[in-house]
């Protein structure tokens, strides 16, 4: 009898999303001419920062990356082995691939954030906010550590707005008795689709009072 | 029979203080040319950051803005409706009005911070510190996210010192058996008055070793 | 009978390490032309930031500086009395003295961080990470508040790597049944020695993909 290791779809998406987050950290840290310590820690913050902030706000322990120590080790090994070849990788991996993977991650993490906030008895508006925080604060904290105004606050792209919309969709679908799994996948897919459409057509929101 | 909604003085002061904090976030985010996502989140950090940091340090949950979801929604609606008219508002609202409202908020939040720290059994010096943190860290976190050295650390105005003084006053008044309510209002009013006097006469503290 | 106050070696090292951390905050805050409020808070963040972040991630309360209120008061008094004479102090205290004291503190705090993470049932890789976080994040948070890219992420010196190595040494020594105290002191001393040797010979690690 052969035992096939069970690797679920969620696990695959999670790992891809974490790797994309970490990759954004590699790129930013390298652009700031950081050393290997900076590269590892910035990648870590970019990949796990949003979920960590959410868990601290919800007072949830163990943290995501403590519970899944293997993801932390994976990121560490990646930083050591992959980051020296960042220039070569950027030739192979197109911007399109990164945007798609990131959009998939945004959808999954945002909806997962809402779900965890609901499990922690958060009121509905707070739950939607926690979804957005989970989705975007990895990048926000990465940019703060790299001494930049966070990109997601200034580039005018509706990145956080796509997440916000999908988080409310998830909440409303549950309210109308759609099964939890269907609600989760539909909402995550909607966020991903919205993000890709707004990226494709380079849609922007205005600057208030600009 | 007419039911009059009960809105206490504390609630009014809280809402005004939060709005002033949020307004400082609007102004700073706009100065940094942020988009609407940045404006909302920076306003949120400026309004709730100090209390959130205090609650995390004290391990107190639910957080202030989770318990009062209505404040979070109010701030969100304000950011969407008011921030586009920031330029016009700054013509109507004088600097004096903002300073007064901010001074009232500083007094209330600092003393409330001490009170919550005492409820969490903090030792006395730590409780005073928690009051100051509650009063000033909204602005500190706002400035960090906006990629600035925090204003309260460098402008030489005794903003934090007024708060620190009033926090100790609150502790000492309780120690000499002054009723809790009297102690709270006297100390908060003292902070507000100190802040306004030091602002009026533009008092500054020196730079160490300058 | 004379009662001699018991001041253990650990307490002495802790106080020295905290003072060195605070001193790095004084220097950085002054370089940024901060006022006395900034100097105190930046010194506080530099001295206690790493342990505070670790305790928040582990959900451990009371925080180190709450439990040892006397350290907080000491730092506060130091900031008021010592920081005006920073220029003079820098003439008396050589760079060598600061590096040695900092190296001793790095060793002690990193190993203490691992120990606390183990007490909180953290998996082994996470425990090693918590040690490094405890050792370096005071400086990281200090630099973020001072609006700089954290020095430990970009100067190429193997500061964090020395701590990481010693944290694993501590874990492995325990695994092979070395008594806890011996493991702790050996590992802390190794970190200190590694840091001093790499400083003496100005060893650097490369920049990934540079």
């Amino acid at each position: 009898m052969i035992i096939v290791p069970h690797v679920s779809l969620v696990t695959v998406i999670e790992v891809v999303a974490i790797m994309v987050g970490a990759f954004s950290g590699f790129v930013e840290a390298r652009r700031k001419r950081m050393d290997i310590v900076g590269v590892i820690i910035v990648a870590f913050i970019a990949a796990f920062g949003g979920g960590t902030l959410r868990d601290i706000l919800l007072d949830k322990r163990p943290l995501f990356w403590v519970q899944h120590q293997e993801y932390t080790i994976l990121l560490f090994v990646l930083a050591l082995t992959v980051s020296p070849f960042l220039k070569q990788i950027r030739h192979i991996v197109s911007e399109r691939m990164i945007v798609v993977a990131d959009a998939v991650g945004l959808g999954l993490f945002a909806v997962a954030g809402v779900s965890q906030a609901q499990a922690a008895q958060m009121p509905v508006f707070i739950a939607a906010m926690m979804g957005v925080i989970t989705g975007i604060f990895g990048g926000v904290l990465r940019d703060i550590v790299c001494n930049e105004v966070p990109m997601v606050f200034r580039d005018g792209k509706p990145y956080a707005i796509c997440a916000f919309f999908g988080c409310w969709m998830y909440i409303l679908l549950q309210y109308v008795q759609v099964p939890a799994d269907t609600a989760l996948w539909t909402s995550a897919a909607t966020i991903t689709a919205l993000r890709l459409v707004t990226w494709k057509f380079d849609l922007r929101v205005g600057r208030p009072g600009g």
Side-chain angles (χ1 to χ4, degrees), chain A residues 41-119:
Chain A
I41 296 181
V42 170
F44 189 86
I45 290 171
F48 296 123
T52 303
L53 179 59
R54 178 204 59 215
D55 286 350
I56 290 173
L57 294 175
L58 296 179
D59 206 17
K60 182 172 173 296
R61 299 291 187 294
L63 300 169
F64 180 72
W65 46 274
V66 169
Q67 205 163 9
H68 294 279
Q69 188 188 207
E70 65 276 14
Y71 292 164
T72 309
I73 296 172
L74 174 68
L75 192 152
F76 188 79
V77 172
L78 270 182
L80 289 179
T81 55
V82 169
S83 68
F85 307 103
L86 215 50
K87 203 181 277 183
Q88 292 82 335
I89 290 171
R90 296 187 75 178
H91 285 294
I92 305 168
V93 179
S94 68
E95 200 208 336
R96 180 186 299 265
M97 281 162 69
I98 292 182
V99 170
V100 170
D102 178 71
V104 171
L106 179 66
L108 186 81
F109 277 110
V111 175
V114 180
S115 172
Q116 301 223 354
Q118 288 176 327

Side-chain angles (χ1 to χ4, degrees), chain A residues 120-195:
Chain A
Q121 319 291 341
M122 291 294 113
V124 66
F125 189 85
I126 304 296
M129 268 184 59
M130 290 290 172
V132 177
I133 288 173
T134 310
I136 73 171
F137 260 78
V140 169
L141 293 173
R142 174 200 66 207
D143 292 348
I144 290 174
V145 170
C146 289
N147 203 19
E148 299 278 351
V149 176
M151 181 61 78
V152 70
F153 292 171
R154 65 187 158 93
D155 67 357
K157 293 177 190 164
Y159 191 85
I161 298 171
C162 297
F164 191 66
F165 186 87
C167 290
W168 277 107
M169 184 176 165
Y170 178 59
I171 291 165
L172 293 176
L173 285 178
Q174 288 175 296
Y175 190 74
V176 297
Q177 311 287 335
V178 172
D181 260 31
T182 314
L184 194 152
W185 289 108
T186 315
S187 310
T190 303
I191 293 175
T192 302
L194 280 175
R195 167 66 184 134

Side-chain angles (χ1 to χ4, degrees), chain A residues 27-41:
Chain A
V27 171
E28 184 74 7
R30 190 172 175 278
R31 213 170 58 78
K32 287 283 177 173
R33 312 245 344 108
M34 287 188 182
D35 57 32
I36 184 67
V37 172
V39 166
I40 292 175
I41 296 181

